[in-house]
Amino acid sequence: MVDAVKMEKVIFEHSVSGRRATVQAPAVAADFSDLPSALLREDKPLLPETSELQVVRHYTRLSQKNFSIDTQFYPLGSCTMKYNPRACNTLAMLPNFLARHPLAPASHSQGFLACMHDLQEILQEVTGMKGVSLTPMAGAQGEFAGVAMIMAYHRQRGDMERNEIIVPDAAHGTNPATAVMCGCVVKEIPTGPDGDVDVEALKAVVGPNTAGIMLTNPSTVGVFERKIEEISKIVHEAGGLLYYDGANLNAILGKVRPGDMGFDVIHMNLHKTFSTPHGGGGPGSGAVGVSERLVPFMPMPHVLKEGDRYRYVTEADVPDSIGRLSGWAGNAGVNLRAYIYARLLGRDGMHRVAEFAALNANYLQARLSAAGFDLAYPDRRASHEFIVTLKRQAKDIGLTATDIAKRLLDKCFHAPTIYFPLLLTSCLLIETTENEAKEDLDAFVEAMIEILREAEADIEMIKGAPYTQPVRRLDDVKAARELDVVWPN
Amino acid sequence: MPFIPHTETEIRSMLDTIGVNELEAIFDEIPDDLRCGQLEGVPEGLTEYEVTRLLHQRAAEDQALSCFAGAGAYDHHIPAAVWEITTRGEFYSAYTPYQAEASQGTLQLIYEYQSMMASLTGMDISNASLYDGASALAEAVLMAVRANRKSKSRKLLVAGTVNPTYRKVTNVIVHNQNISLDEVPFDNASGTTVTAALEAHAGEDYAALVIQQPNFFGSLEAVDEMTDWAHANGMLVVAVANPMTLAALKAPGQWGEKGADIACGEGQPLGVPMSSGGPYYGFMCCKQPLARQMPGRIVGRTVDLDGNPGFALTLQAREQHIRRSKATSNICTNQGLCVTASTIYMSLLGPEGLARVASASHKNMNALLAAIKDIDGVSVAHAGPSFHEALITLSKPAAVVIEQMANLGFLAGVSVSEDYPQYENALLVCTTETKNDADIAAYATALNTVLNGEAA
Ligand SMILES: Cc1ncc(COP(=O)(O)O)c(C=O)c1O
């Protein structure tokens, strides 16, 4: 790392009172003398006073402190760090798309609305659902829409008691958090030793209060839920509905459709399976698909096609909708990127996604296993991801998942997921995606083998990693205890 | 095969390593009867050139209109550097900064963003973003209910001048938890909340009062009096603010004696394109005592093993990946890239530049109202100052005017009579710094033509 990048200060340290980038702002000085002075601001807000070059250089340097898909192999489990095609960004940022106000009349928005409509249809087809709404702004909001639809369905049938949502212990944290936001009670069920849901435990919790179950398939431990049809039957017979957490859709795209597995509602993370960027934390898009019985409840607005004209639905079209989840129509620009990606892939490309994601994952799993790493589920196929457990190394030489994660950074690989799933301790959840070439997977295996050797020779050295990054391991306890979250003004 | 690098030879050798004969064998755990068919509903793949052509055609259908609409999405100039840097791969294609050492760029940027937002709003702490302005209000409502332990009602008071869409979205998100909003009526003549309407609720149990400034009509509320009234009645104060206007207007943290407790709103005016309504981002800031009730990610400054400063996500015990069903919110992925754009935007504009944007937007509204107020069939609905939006009523239905104005190249405004039936044919208009005198004159001419025929 170049020192200038490593040492880059906080933007406020570049600030000099009175300096400014003049051409970006109006030429006329500010004047609010016609507004009541009691309502005006007296202090100067803490915004940098810098030149354009200083700003450009500062944020360019900050960018260089990041790992990213464009610069490193990023095998982050459950996150589907695929290549974000540049064409998707370039075309979604065409001036007319950017300049469209969300309330521009449909008569002047046919191009944009056509894209959204086509995307709805494509997503409907690949998931086997009967309706799609693109408005949820990320996976968790898609989950919210899904559970809210499930509740609205029960309530409309006069089924007032159903308020329990069943969630496997392997589920992502957003699942139980969402159920609670929807006013439900969470019933957790365990995962069996083979990674599948414990069906007996499921039978024991279903009943007249069951509103539904939230399932991820392949689950978050990286294996396909083989008893899905039995689970579907048990829950449906108890009067509950099935929710599909589509965060792992990349594993089955073009192979199996959630609709065919019996799911009533699904959210997709378009920022995973459809290659829209993660942007250092977002934005995403959590489009939802529904079965026939939930179509009337879909969140507003979605696009209708009437003859050859497109328009958004209004409240009058969908009186039973759970309503709006955002000011307008969700993350439209993200959906546009997903649409462009879908058109580049096309039908054949869709079929290839899961095939090559799974080929890469199973190849990497086989190689790491042969290299002496223990698999959490050695008898199972990997889906698009898999788990390496470090229980043995932790016990023998004190090598933890965090240690490997940090040392991998020194070897120019982003770390796999280590904080999740919570039910397994000291594990690496590794997801490769279909975009990675064999030689990059091989290089990753070599790095893992090297780290194991290094750890056996000198565990203290590993505990000190990383050494090559802008900072070394950070003091999280201090960060939480002595809260420093804003620069002093 | 799009985006798949494998050669036939590599596929063979990888299958050998796995110990299977063909690709299909990897899917042998999936029951046969579940395997899907051809996906006929998905069109054939296109080359990048073909997709480019298609998208250019689609974009060309949506002729850009000269924008005089706001209502939560604003047509500001975005400096070229903002998205040039924001879409650098290192920002664009990075994940959430969980591995702090490899994410110092994103983390430091968020820390800088938090600092700027906290200062603009006059608060102690900011999160790293929520989805958008509307859903940020929903989160603020949930937060206020958690934070105001003395209140048992699960009810909030909301000024009727708060963006009606925000109120609808909030209701959708909070009603399942038996939380409800009671609306405070406003004065039709001034378009602002009057103290008498609040007094009707004196002594009642509400978790918080929600105030928008400038309000949905662009009018300025008596925020000091309203804040003090709410505090005197045991309520917290949730401020909904447009951050661009905070370069000029009193920060929510300074409203009244003690200041608002939570400030939230739409970050879009700060360097994010209108883009059909998203992606934008919701911001949320609060006073220190409420920090642990805050939803969303927060970045803190700390030190590394060598004692050098560095940045990391902090207070994570509030979040779903740690607390699961007891988290402050279900939010995980947020709107990070838009925050990246806003941080660069605010740095380029600085305090003076942002004040100039606010001032020019406001002055253009004064100029617009002066240019259209004498047109036959136009009345300005509210007395008193407008910031950069205002409500006008028309002699023809707003929807018809919007359609005809669009044919003349203008987005005339936003029709609001559905939400405010007391105003007939009402149009909410907006100006930003991007308009000049000629644009405003052209708008006035077009509006006159639409309302009064060719003989303008
Ligand atoms: C399995 C699973 N479910 C849900 C989510 C939540 O999605 P989002 O972060 O888009 O809200 C994620 C990812 O973050 C996930 O991995």
Side-chain angles (χ1 to χ4, degrees):
Chain A
M1 176 115 0
V2 188
D3 250 4
V5 170
K6 191 166 169 166
M7 305 307 294
E8 182 59 23
K9 322 188 256 197
V10 173
I11 186 81
F12 308 109
E13 294 175 279
H14 291 295
S15 186
V16 173
S17 185
R19 182 179 291 154
R20 61 189 200 91
T22 50
V23 296
Q24 274 81 21
V28 181
D31 170 18
F32 302 101
S33 54
D34 63 321
L35 293 175
S37 61
L39 296 177
L40 297 179
R41 170 169 211 124
E42 283 165 13
D43 63 328
K44 183 154 87 174
L46 177 71
L47 301 182
E49 297 180 75
T50 41
S51 72
E52 178 173 0
L53 172 59
Q54 286 179 306
V55 172
V56 168
R57 188 175 287 158
H58 174 71
Y59 289 107
T60 302
R61 283 182 179 173
L62 287 198
S63 78
Q64 292 174 320
K65 295 191 191 202
N66 272 0
F67 272 33
S68 68
I69 302 172
D70 284 4
T71 50
Q72 278 91 7
F73 178 41
Y74 215 121
L76 199 59
S78 203
C79 300
T80 311
M81 299 303 280
K82 305 213 248 195
Y83 170 57
N84 310 139
R86 281 281 146 187
C88 300
N89 185 55
T90 303
L91 298 174
M93 294 190 79
L94 288 176
N96 281 3
F97 288 140
L98 295 187
R100 185 179 171 271
H101 188 281
L103 295 174
S107 57
H108 289 70
S109 310
Q110 290 297 300
F112 167 72
L113 291 173
C115 295
M116 294 299 101
H117 180 266
D118 289 358
L119 178 61
Q120 288 173 191
E121 302 266 294
I122 291 171
L123 296 179
Q124 203 170 303
E125 175 77 0
V126 299
T127 57
M129 306 308 281
K130 293 291 183 288
V132 164
S133 167
L134 303 172
T135 68
M137 291 175 281
Q141 210 187 34
E143 293 173 32
F144 182 94
V147 177
M149 282 189 267
I150 290 174
M151 297 307 283
Y153 167 81
H154 290 311
R155 296 299 178 258
Q156 199 189 52
R157 291 158 43 97
D159 208 338
M160 311 311 278
E161 303 305 315
R162 294 188 185 273
N163 70 338
E164 291 175 1
I165 294 285
I166 301 165
V167 179
D169 58 0
H172 195 263
T174 49
N175 291 188
T178 297
V180 168
M181 270 185 102
C182 289
C184 299
V185 175
V186 176
K187 293 279 165 185
E188 200 171 84
I189 53 168
T191 301
D194 56 359
D196 286 339
V197 162
D198 181 339
V199 171
E200 290 313 310
L202 173 65
K203 284 183 185 156
V205 297
V206 294
N209 291 337
T210 301
I213 185 171
M214 297 179 87
L215 270 186
T216 313
N217 193 18
S219 76
T220 58
V221 300
V223 296
F224 189 83
E225 179 58 67
R226 291 168 296 192
K227 296 178 208 137
I228 182 61
E229 288 164 298
E230 190 183 352
I231 293 169
S232 166
K233 197 154 165 264
I234 293 168
V235 176
H236 278 147
E237 279 177 1
L241 299 189
L242 266 78
Y243 182 91
Y244 180 88
D245 178 332
N248 290 347
L249 191 65
N250 215 52
I252 59 167
L253 195 65
K255 290 287 153 197
V256 201
R257 306 192 304 171
D260 300 337
M261 291 192 261
F263 284 95
D264 298 285
V265 52
I266 137 171
H267 90 259
M268 292 153 261
N269 279 352
L270 300 185
H271 45 303
K272 296 178 181 172
T273 315
F274 284 78
S275 266
T276 70
H278 284 85
S285 175
V288 285
V290 295
S291 64
E292 198 76 57
R293 55 181 150 189
L294 292 183
V295 167
F297 303 102
M298 283 201 295
M300 296 186 58
H302 38 279
V303 180
L304 288 183
K305 187 174 186 186
E306 292 169 330
D308 60 353
R309 306 296 288 169
Y310 302 92
R311 68 172 175 89
Y312 276 126
V313 295
T314 63
E315 265 120 9
D317 295 316
V318 288
D320 291 330
S321 164
I322 59 162
R324 286 178 188 279
L325 298 169
S326 61
W328 319 102
N331 283 335
V334 177
N335 293 328
L336 209 44
R337 286 169 175 79
Y339 173 62
I340 297 160
Y341 175 73
R343 295 305 306 263
L344 287 167
L345 243 53
R347 188 182 306 153
D348 282 350
M350 296 281 170
H351 284 294
R352 300 284 95 82
V353 167
E355 271 171 19
F356 286 85
L359 175 68
N360 275 356
N362 280 281
Y363 172 73
L364 196 57
Q365 170 171 275
R367 287 221 50 203
L368 285 173
S369 170
F373 288 93
D374 298 335
L375 304 174
Y377 300 101
D379 302 328
R380 301 291 309 265
R381 291 255 185 257
S383 56
H384 63 320
E385 61 189 0
F386 61 95
I387 295 180
V388 162
T389 151
L390 296 160
K391 257 196 226 145
R392 190 162 50 85
Q393 288 86 350
K395 196 160 136 264
D396 294 352
I397 53 171
L399 179 70
T400 67
T402 304
D403 297 331
I404 294 205
K406 301 303 181 194
R407 189 60 181 154
L408 274 169
L409 305 180
D410 283 334
K411 302 192 182 292
C412 225
F413 290 100
H414 194 278
T417 295
I418 54 171
Y419 68 96
F420 168 76
L422 296 180
L423 79 158
L424 297 168
T425 46
S426 215
C427 66
L428 304 169
L429 179 60
I430 303 175
E431 179 176 0
T432 47
T433 90
E434 68 278 16
N435 304 141
E436 299 298 334
K438 178 173 175 294
E439 63 264 31
D440 294 312
L441 305 179
D442 290 337
F444 180 76
V445 174
E446 294 316 313
M448 290 287 285
I449 294 171
E450 228 173 76
I451 292 174
L452 206 50
R453 276 203 215 104
E454 288 171 347
E456 282 159 359
D458 183 359
I459 187 71
E460 285 316 310
M461 185 279 285
I462 299 283
K463 295 274 171 203
Y467 299 95
T468 56
Q469 298 303 304
V471 294
R472 298 190 54 208
R473 282 193 211 189
L474 292 157
D475 188 343
D476 291 326
V477 175
K478 178 179 158 73
R481 287 229 181 104
E482 301 160 34
L483 216 51
D484 174 357
V485 294
V486 297
W487 187 256
N489 194 356
Chain B
M1 290 184 287
F3 314 116
I4 293 172
H6 304 62
T7 64
E8 280 305 322
T9 330
E10 285 167 341
I11 296 171
R12 270 268 53 90
S13 114
M14 291 170 82
L15 289 173
D16 288 346
T17 306
I18 299 168
V20 294
N21 286 326
E22 48 170 9
L23 267 174
E24 275 307 309
I26 298 174
F27 296 92
D28 57 7
E29 290 189 0
I30 300 179
D32 280 344
D33 57 320
L34 287 179
R35 303 297 297 276
C36 73
Q38 284 310 306
L39 304 179
E40 269 102 20
V42 180
E44 295 286 352
L46 300 176
T47 63
E48 187 175 301
Y49 173 67
E50 289 166 329
V51 169
T52 300
R53 192 161 170 167
L54 172 71
L55 268 288
H56 275 269
Q57 275 163 6
R58 293 262 171 98
E61 284 182 53
D62 301 349
Q63 172 214 352
L65 302 171
S66 177
C67 184
F68 285 79
Y74 300 97
D75 179 25
H76 290 290
H77 172 68
I78 302 173
V82 171
W83 284 88
E84 288 269 342
I85 300 177
T86 298
T87 54
R88 281 180 65 96
E90 299 94 326
F91 283 136
Y92 188 78
S93 74
Y95 197 70
T96 302
Y98 288 129
Q99 285 295 336
E101 299 85 350
S103 315
Q104 285 297 299
T106 292
L107 287 163
Q108 181 174 332
L109 180 140
I110 295 171
Y111 176 87
E112 293 174 0
Y113 161 81
Q114 290 173 181
S115 306
M116 296 180 204
M117 289 312 284
S119 174
L120 271 177
T121 58
M123 294 285 168
D124 302 320
I125 178 166
S126 162
N127 73 9
S129 78
L130 298 167
Y131 299 132
D132 75 346
S135 60
L137 176 58
E139 290 280 10
V141 163
L142 295 173
M143 179 175 167
V145 170
R146 286 194 299 273
N148 190 342
R149 298 226 165 78
K150 289 202 207 91
S151 170
K152 303 281 174 248
S153 66
R154 299 183 82 72
K155 288 200 301 191
L156 285 90
L157 270 185
V158 181
T161 55
V162 171
N163 186 324
T165 305
Y166 285 24
R167 285 184 278 141
K168 282 182 209 166
V169 170
T170 297
N171 191 47
V172 169
I173 294 174
V174 306
H175 84 272
N176 282 317
Q177 297 185 62
N178 294 319
I179 295 169
S180 60
L181 310 176
D182 284 352
E183 185 177 323
V184 185
F186 58 92
D187 172 40
N188 286 340
S190 68
T192 58
T193 312
V194 286
T195 334
L198 291 175
E199 277 307 328
H201 296 286
E204 293 175 12
D205 177 11
Y206 286 102
L209 170 67
V210 182
I211 309 168
Q212 181 174 337
Q213 177 82 324
N215 71 21
F216 182 64
F217 303 124
S219 304
L220 296 176
E221 298 278 0
V223 288
D224 294 325
E225 289 78 4
M226 292 171 81
T227 300
D228 289 342
W229 179 87
H231 283 152
N233 284 278
M235 302 172 200
L236 297 174
V237 171
V238 175
V240 178
N242 176 335
M244 180 277 296
T245 68
L246 291 177
L249 297 178
K250 189 187 273 187
Q254 267 110 48
W255 292 357
E257 290 286 315
K258 289 191 289 185
D261 303 278
I262 303 170
C264 65
E266 178 57 71
Q268 182 271 336
L270 303 175
V272 179
M274 291 192 289
S275 182
S276 292
Y280 296 173
Y281 70 94
F283 69 87
M284 185 184 277
C285 302
C286 71
K287 292 282 174 67
Q288 181 70 38
L290 272 57
R292 286 181 161 73
Q293 296 300 336
M294 179 92 101
R297 298 172 183 143
I298 298 172
V299 170
R301 195 158 168 269
T302 182
V303 294
D304 72 359
L305 280 177
D306 297 334
N308 291 320
F311 302 87
L313 291 169
T314 192
L315 296 183
Q316 294 192 68
R318 301 163 298 110
E319 292 186 69
Q320 48 73 31
H321 63 283
I322 311 275
R323 285 297 286 283
R324 300 176 74 82
S325 63
K326 297 195 175 59
T328 52
S329 166
N330 68 341
I331 193 169
C332 178
T333 291
N334 59 20
Q335 305 281 123
L337 202 67
C338 300
V339 161
T340 305
S342 273
T343 308
I344 299 170
Y345 176 87
M346 288 190 276
S347 300
L348 282 168
L349 272 286
E352 172 67 19
L354 196 62
R356 287 181 181 219
V357 170
S359 174
S361 301
H362 167 61
K363 285 203 175 126
N364 280 337
M365 181 44 63
N366 289 347
L368 180 75
L369 291 178
I372 63 176
K373 71 178 190 328
D374 296 328
I375 295 176
D376 254 3
V378 174
S379 356
V380 179
H382 300 135
S386 302
F387 199 88
H388 73 320
E389 291 184 84
L391 193 70
I392 57 175
T393 57
L394 305 168
S395 54
K396 286 186 181 173
V400 173
V401 173
I402 289 171
E403 206 56 52
Q404 294 180 1
M405 288 286 281
N407 292 334
L408 298 175
F410 295 90
L411 183 55
V414 174
S415 167
V416 302
S417 293
E418 233 176 87
D419 291 311
Y420 295 103
Q422 62 268 52
Y423 300 108
E424 211 183 335
N425 303 338
L427 190 70
L428 185 69
V429 294
C430 173
T431 51
T432 64
E433 84 287 5
T434 61
K435 298 293 169 288
N436 60 26
D437 294 347
D439 298 327
I440 289 168
Y443 178 94
T445 306
L447 187 62
N448 192 16
T449 307
V450 166
L451 291 176
N452 302 310
E454 292 305 317

